[in-house]
Amino acid sequence: MSAHRAGPPPTRRPARRPSRRPDQASRSHGDTHGHAHSHSHSHSHGPAPRSSNRVRLVLAALLVPALLATVVGLVLFWPHDAPARGSIDTTADTAGKVYGTVVGPIEDTNLVPVLLDDTDELITVHMPPEYMETGVGTGDTMKILHIPQAAASGSEYVFMDFVRDVPISILAIAYAVVVLAVARWRGLAALAGLVISFGVVVLFTLPALLVGTNAIAVALLTSTTVMFVVLYLAHGFNARTSTALLGTLLGLVITALLAGWAVDAANILGLADEYSLMLPAYAPEVNIRGVILCGIVLAGLGVLNDVTITQASAVWELRAVSPEMSRYELFTRSMRIGRDHIASTVYTIAFAYLGAALPMLLMVSLIDMGLGETLTSGEIAEEVVRTLVGSIGLVLAIPITTAIAAAAVGGHGTLAAPAVEQPSKPQVGPPSEAELEVASALQEPHR
């Protein structure tokens, strides 16, 4: 016992330090890489940081004047003296319009048996030969002109047009149901925006063109009005929507200026369409070339809106995944998405116009002309110019919107290009808990 008491006193184990969380340790050791990784992981599935107040003020400073200019423009250019809707009577003074349903049997003549809706009278209706060749079936409903002077053709009743209310109504209801089922409240907002857009076209665009109002002014006022309503209504009042709207407006200005030059330089007169030839007789003040110019701008509006809101959303989602990503890298990664979008939308526009002009293209293809001469002929040149101008405005709007979104989105990234990652250095700092326990064990005396 005495020998034991004479020995050196046992070394006391140092008090255990409280355990620190990994993020606290990384901050105390100056491990910025570990901190960034922890921060990025904690926000990888959360919402993107909100844009700063300064960014919101800048967006407001750019968009509010555009909104005020649009309102002032609508007031100044509102077509008060436009012809009234429905001012052209499609029936002659000696004709009356009735409705009926085709009943059988249908014989191989130009006379079709029809049962009138109002009186249940069975009549025969004179049909043009081209309609008979395409097929008139039992149960078809049609608008009919009653012209007593046409009795020499075999019947006093002459075909006017088919009634398409039921099938088109079914398609419209199906479209609304699908949109609401998939997009829900956002789909409802989009449908409301579509109705408002249609109202803008009917109440302002068409009457303004009929009285010869400047076509570029009409196109830009229509587009900006529709975009302010549709984008905020469908996508919410936030910085991301404002960014897409700003990119859309810049794309529209580019498209309008380019369309104005192209219509004049390529001598697009708009006289290849039968309606364009008839229109001046009923609206003497209308400018057919201006109508074509306005149509070029409005034709690309929907696709332009699509790519700008997609690019803005891509930037916001990438920021949500990686809050520490630099703004330069954010722009370059988003442009990879934008290039894919460009590749798909370029031929989307081309084939949309191709489908609309297919009968005319078939007719032109039978004419003995070379490909280059065909594409620049009066019948085709209008569609070619429409496609090229719309595509150029669309393609330029993508990097413009992406750059604005990368600068406006919230987050901690900088505008500089990403620096080359340096190799990590050994950390210098207080010993860890495991190191302290090992040192204490080595100091214990051997028994």
Side-chain angles (χ1 to χ4, degrees):
M1 292 293 293
S2 61
H4 179 70
R5 289 194 188 100
T11 304
R12 297 179 60 188
R13 292 185 65 176
R16 177 173 293 185
R17 295 187 178 185
S19 175
R20 289 179 296 182
R21 295 194 307 270
D23 58 338
Q24 291 177 334
S26 63
R27 284 196 294 268
S28 63
H29 294 175
D31 185 4
T32 58
H33 177 74
H35 171 64
H37 174 75
S38 173
H39 181 75
S40 176
H41 178 75
S42 63
H43 292 275
S44 60
H45 298 290
R50 296 182 59 186
S51 299
S52 64
N53 291 332
R54 184 168 69 90
V55 168
R56 292 172 179 271
L57 288 176
V58 171
L59 290 174
L62 294 173
L63 290 176
V64 169
L67 177 60
L68 294 177
T70 301
V71 174
V72 172
L74 289 175
V75 173
L76 294 178
F77 291 100
W78 193 266
H80 299 284
D81 300 327
R85 292 183 62 250
S87 57
I88 299 177
D89 188 3
T90 57
T91 62
D93 293 338
T94 58
K97 184 165 58 177
V98 294
Y99 297 86
T101 304
V102 177
V103 295
I106 300 176
E107 300 179 357
D108 190 16
T109 65
N110 289 343
L111 299 177
V112 176
V114 173
L115 186 66
L116 294 180
D117 292 345
D118 294 336
T119 62
D120 290 335
E121 179 184 357
L122 183 62
I123 63 173
T124 56
V125 176
H126 183 270
M127 297 286 296
E130 57 269 21
Y131 285 91
M132 293 298 297
E133 293 173 1
T134 55
V136 178
T138 302
D140 291 342
T141 56
M142 58 179 63
K143 291 182 282 187
I144 307 160
L145 288 179
H146 182 209
I147 307 176
Q149 293 82 356
S153 64
S155 175
E156 297 181 358
Y157 296 91
V158 179
F159 171 81
M160 182 179 180
D161 197 4
F162 288 105
V163 177
R164 305 176 180 89
D165 297 350
V166 173
I168 292 180
S169 298
I170 292 174
L171 286 175
I173 293 173
Y175 172 69
V177 169
V178 170
V179 169
L180 293 176
V182 176
R184 300 183 181 179
W185 288 109
R186 182 161 293 185
L188 179 62
L191 291 176
L194 182 62
V195 173
I196 295 174
S197 302
F198 183 73
V200 172
V201 172
V202 171
L203 297 177
F204 171 74
T205 310
L206 301 183
L209 292 175
L210 286 175
V211 297
T213 307
N214 182 276
I216 291 184
V218 173
L220 290 178
L221 288 173
T222 301
S223 302
T224 53
T225 302
V226 169
M227 286 297 98
F228 267 105
V229 173
V230 169
L231 280 177
Y232 284 124
L233 187 61
H235 303 283
F237 192 81
N238 50 54
R240 177 172 58 183
T241 306
S242 299
T243 298
L245 176 58
L246 184 58
T248 303
L249 296 182
L250 293 175
L252 283 171
V253 171
I254 295 173
T255 302
L257 294 177
L258 190 58
W261 172 84
V263 167
D264 183 63
N267 289 320
I268 303 298
L269 303 178
L271 300 179
D273 191 321
E274 60 176 334
Y275 289 108
S276 299
L277 296 174
M278 295 170 53
L279 191 56
Y282 298 97
E285 297 180 353
V286 70
N287 183 350
I288 298 299
R289 178 177 284 189
V291 172
I292 300 301
L293 194 159
C294 183
I296 292 175
V297 177
L298 296 182
L301 182 61
V303 182
L304 181 62
N305 169 40
D306 173 46
V307 297
T308 54
I309 197 67
T310 299
Q311 285 304 110
S313 297
V315 171
W316 253 257
E317 291 302 318
L318 285 175
R319 172 60 82 207
V321 172
S322 181
E324 295 297 331
M325 185 185 298
S326 71
R327 298 189 188 274
Y328 176 84
E329 186 178 2
L330 191 61
F331 172 80
T332 55
R333 288 180 179 270
S334 300
M335 277 304 300
R336 294 176 188 172
I337 301 174
R339 293 186 187 98
D340 289 337
H341 213 167
I342 289 173
S344 63
T345 52
V346 164
Y347 57 76
T348 297
I349 295 178
F351 276 92
Y353 295 146
L354 173 65
L358 193 56
M360 179 180 63
L361 293 174
L362 290 173
M363 187 63 195
V364 172
S365 68
L366 298 176
I367 301 175
D368 184 16
M369 290 191 301
L371 179 61
E373 188 178 359
T374 300
L375 293 178
T376 57
S377 62
E379 296 83 0
I380 305 296
E382 181 180 328
E383 299 300 328
V384 172
V385 169
R386 193 192 314 273
T387 302
L388 294 178
V389 170
S391 298
I392 292 173
L394 165 72
V395 171
L396 291 179
I398 288 179
I400 292 174
T401 305
T402 306
I404 297 173
V409 69
H412 303 291
T414 62
L415 289 172
V420 178
E421 185 176 355
Q422 301 294 333
S424 58
K425 297 181 180 180
Q427 301 177 8
V428 178
S432 65
E433 180 179 347
E435 291 173 343
L436 291 174
E437 290 182 356
V438 170
S440 175
L442 292 176
Q443 292 176 5
E444 289 283 354
H446 296 286
R447 294 188 179 184

